[in-house]
């Protein structure tokens, strides 16, 4: 598959944001984590300030500082995709321009949440953001969080924009996703780790993962095997990694990623309210998932 068909690479991880004991950004830890994800988990790109990165609780200034730290650490070895989506078009444009100035390689733009705009509003929102910079855009379709899906017809129209290149698909509707892929050149990336292989079977190209803080190298091998026609091998990887693919979402993903990294001896600090740290029971249950996948 050509690189143009995979504009953001094959494997991306939505990186957690490290914090110090007093709740401040831990930029050295962010650089170290980014390096681990690129060098040891084989990521082609990292998403910074996404949902897993607790973006709703970081300021605009912190987002810029974090982006600078990660670009300095791994820029040139991996694409750095900045999460810029908010419920405000004006604010999203501001974050997009800020990310471009900080050296981002692309933008992740989630559906405006809570306000539930109509599809005509989504069209205007995504086009306005895509017009704001020269960076490629990856739309994030996640109706169970945003409250609104990006409808198939809307996606078909958005695909006409030269800088809207892909979709992070967490809609959970493979039929509609397959229809969009059949009629456009949009690159579809799974936004739900466990759906990656099924999505690839109808045209998907990769994964923006959460469990890939741990499962990244295996997930990359699973996707590569499928793309190269080694379907049985891909299925073996899926079955091995499925406990981790799903187990990371037993509660909010950022909670168990941080708990799991601590188990691996890579602590990245706590979480910002309203997120809370994993309970001992949740941590042990996730550790069992990692063991079942051969990752701990």
């Amino acid at each position: 598959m050509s690189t143009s068909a995979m504009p953001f690479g094959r494997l991306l991880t939505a990186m957690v944001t490290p914090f110090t004991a007093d709740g401040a950004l831990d930029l050295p830890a962010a650089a170290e984590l980014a390096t681990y994800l690129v060098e040891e988990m084989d990521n082609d790109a990292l998403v910074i300030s996404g949902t897993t990165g607790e973006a709703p609780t970081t300021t605009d200034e912190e987002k810029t500082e974090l982006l600078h730290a990660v670009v300095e650490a791994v820029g040139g070895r991996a694409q750095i995709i900045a999460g810029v989506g908010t419920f405000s078009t004006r604010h999203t444009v501001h974050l997009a321009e800020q990310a471009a100035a900080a050296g981002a390689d692309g933008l992740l733009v989630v559906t405006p949440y809570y306000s539930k705009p109509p599809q005509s509003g989504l069209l205007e929102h995504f086009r306005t953001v895509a017009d704001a910079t020269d960076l490629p855009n990856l739309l994030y379709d996640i109706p169970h969080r945003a409250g609104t899906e990006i409808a198939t017809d809307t996606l078909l129209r958005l695909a006409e924009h030269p800088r809207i290149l892909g979709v992070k698909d967490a809609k959970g509707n493979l039929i509609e996703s397959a229809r969009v892929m059949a009629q456009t050149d949009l690159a579809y990336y799974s936004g739900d780790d466990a759906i990656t292989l099924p999505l690839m079977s109808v045209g998907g190209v990769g994964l923006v993962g959460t469990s890939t803080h741990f499962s990244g190298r295996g997930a990359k091998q699973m996707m590569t095997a499928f793309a190269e026609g080694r379907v049985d091998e891909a299925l073996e990887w899926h079955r091995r990694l499925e406990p981790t693919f799903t187990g990371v979402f037993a509660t909010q993903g950022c909670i168990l990623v941080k708990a799991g990294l601590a188990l691996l001896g890579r602590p990245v600090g706590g979480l910002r309210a309203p997120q809370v740290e994993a309970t001992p029971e949740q941590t042990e249950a996730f550790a069992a998932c990692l063991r079942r996948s051969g990752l701990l």
Side-chain angles (χ1 to χ4, degrees):
M1 185 170 290
S2 68
T3 54
S4 61
M6 296 187 296
F8 306 100
R10 177 81 74 190
L11 174 66
L12 302 80
T13 290
M15 194 180 93
V16 293
T17 299
F19 296 120
T20 63
D22 62 358
L25 282 184
D26 190 338
L27 297 178
E32 183 178 346
L33 179 59
T35 300
Y36 155 77
L37 290 171
V38 172
E39 294 183 352
E40 298 190 36
M41 290 295 104
D42 201 21
N43 278 272
D44 301 306
L46 301 177
V47 173
I48 307 304
S49 295
T51 306
T52 306
E54 299 177 70
T57 65
T58 58
T59 66
D60 292 2
E61 292 74 20
E62 287 176 323
K63 288 178 174 63
T64 297
E65 293 173 6
L66 183 62
L67 193 57
H68 275 299
V70 173
V71 168
E72 183 176 351
V74 298
R77 292 187 287 161
Q79 291 191 61
I80 309 303
I81 312 303
V84 299
T86 73
F87 46 67
S88 162
T89 302
R90 179 177 294 183
H91 190 200
T92 301
V93 166
H94 168 72
L95 291 177
E97 293 171 340
Q98 174 178 280
D105 298 298
L107 306 174
L108 177 70
V109 190
V110 72
T111 312
Y113 42 87
Y114 185 73
S115 54
K116 300 180 71 172
Q119 294 299 310
S120 58
L122 296 186
L123 274 170
E124 182 175 349
H125 174 83
F126 287 122
R127 286 169 173 167
T128 299
V129 176
D131 285 339
T133 76
D134 293 328
L135 296 178
N137 283 218
L138 181 65
L139 307 183
Y140 189 6
D141 191 6
I142 183 166
H144 66 273
R145 280 188 182 273
T148 304
E149 70 169 1
I150 311 176
T152 296
D153 182 64
T154 303
L155 286 163
L156 296 179
R157 297 170 69 182
L158 288 169
E160 299 170 358
H161 196 289
R163 283 186 292 281
I164 295 177
L165 302 187
V167 178
K168 179 183 177 184
D169 183 19
K171 182 179 289 184
N173 189 332
L174 288 177
I175 294 173
E176 291 303 314
S177 296
R179 286 175 176 160
V180 175
M181 284 183 269
Q183 297 180 59
T184 73
D185 292 327
L186 289 173
Y188 260 65
Y189 291 83
S190 174
D192 181 343
D193 303 31
I195 302 299
T196 305
L197 193 57
L199 186 68
M200 290 189 74
S201 74
V202 293
V205 302
L207 164 64
V208 182
T210 301
S211 78
T212 46
H213 286 81
F214 319 99
S215 64
R217 189 165 291 276
K220 182 81 164 286
Q221 292 186 48
M222 176 189 75
M223 292 185 286
T224 300
F226 184 85
E228 294 178 353
R230 293 176 277 117
V231 177
D232 288 346
E233 180 183 338
L235 184 56
E236 288 179 8
W237 274 111
H238 170 82
R239 289 172 173 169
R240 173 181 170 181
L241 297 174
E242 182 274 329
T244 298
F245 285 165
T246 56
V248 76
F249 297 115
T251 182
Q252 295 300 331
C254 55
I255 294 174
L256 287 179
V257 168
K258 289 190 170 182
L261 288 170
L263 289 172
L264 294 181
R266 296 182 176 277
V268 292
L271 297 101
R272 283 186 176 173
Q275 302 292 5
V276 294
E277 295 192 31
T279 65
E281 294 78 12
Q282 289 170 332
T283 300
E284 180 49 41
F286 186 53
C289 294
L290 292 171
R291 293 188 194 102
R292 287 172 60 194
S293 296
L295 301 174
L296 182 64

